Amino acid sequence: MAVRIEQVDLPGIGVRHDVLTETGRRVSVLTHRSGERTLAVFEVDDPDSCRDPVTLTDDEAEALAELLGASVMLGQLSALREAAGVYTEQIVIAADSPFVDRRLGDTRARTRTGASIVALLRDGSVVPSPGPETRLQAGDNVVAVGTRTGLDSLTRIIADGAN
């Protein structure tokens, strides 16, 4: 199963990135315009009800990101906000994806969905503009840009090879 990280622009506040877990929990990181970050977990029954938000310093956020194997790539891409129906999203390559140990070009992502893969996050490093020969590995985060429909299709393709 592919993991989705969704970006929500909060006018006047900042940007929130959400991960919806298999159990239905929403875990979010809110990056305020001031640079402050808040980690939040939401109730399953009420997605607007946050339990115990935790404000993180830069050092704490960096340490947590390293522990989770994340990258600062999303922060760099946050300047590329949702504009004119274009979204930025991370899709995790699951161990059971048909594209593990295959070339990125084998996905035919842009041809099949119109979405562009603009970076690959792997082991705490960033592979910007990966070429079609780049081999995908379980746990890689594919950073893609496209329409909502295109990104939904790309998520399905990466998860099970289907459109």
Side-chain angles (χ1 to χ4, degrees):
M1 176 180 160
V3 176
R4 293 179 75 154
I5 299 174
E6 297 177 351
Q7 177 177 309
V8 178
D9 193 19
L10 302 172
I13 298 171
V15 178
R16 188 181 77 211
H17 292 95
D18 297 334
V19 175
L20 186 63
T21 68
E22 282 186 24
T23 61
R25 301 296 301 268
R26 184 174 299 275
V27 179
S28 301
V29 175
L30 172 60
T31 304
H32 299 266
R33 293 176 69 193
S34 66
E36 180 179 281
R37 286 175 211 78
T38 302
L39 181 64
V41 178
F42 292 87
E43 297 290 342
V44 175
D45 298 336
D46 184 359
D48 293 325
S49 178
C50 175
R51 292 182 56 158
D52 301 320
V54 178
T55 300
L56 302 170
T57 66
D58 288 345
D59 289 340
E60 292 164 341
E62 184 176 340
L64 184 59
E66 287 178 21
L67 283 173
L68 296 174
S71 171
V72 295
M73 184 63 173
L74 267 182
Q76 295 169 347
L77 285 177
S78 66
L80 182 66
R81 301 266 197 259
E82 300 172 9
V86 176
Y87 302 86
T88 302
E89 193 164 293
Q90 283 189 28
I91 305 166
V92 176
I93 305 293
D96 61 351
S97 168
F99 295 104
V100 170
D101 295 325
R102 290 182 56 196
R103 297 177 324 120
L104 178 61
D106 293 343
T107 66
R108 296 182 39 238
R110 191 178 356 228
T111 301
R112 293 169 72 184
T113 69
S116 296
I117 296 173
V118 297
L120 190 67
L121 309 178
R122 176 182 291 157
D123 298 326
S125 63
V126 178
V127 178
S129 302
E133 72 288 344
T134 302
R135 292 226 171 248
L136 297 172
Q137 298 175 6
D140 283 352
N141 280 300
V142 171
V143 180
V145 175
T147 64
R148 176 82 276 135
T149 302
L151 292 170
D152 289 347
S153 293
L154 179 58
T155 299
R156 284 190 297 277
I157 288 168
I158 288 174
D160 58 24
N163 249 350

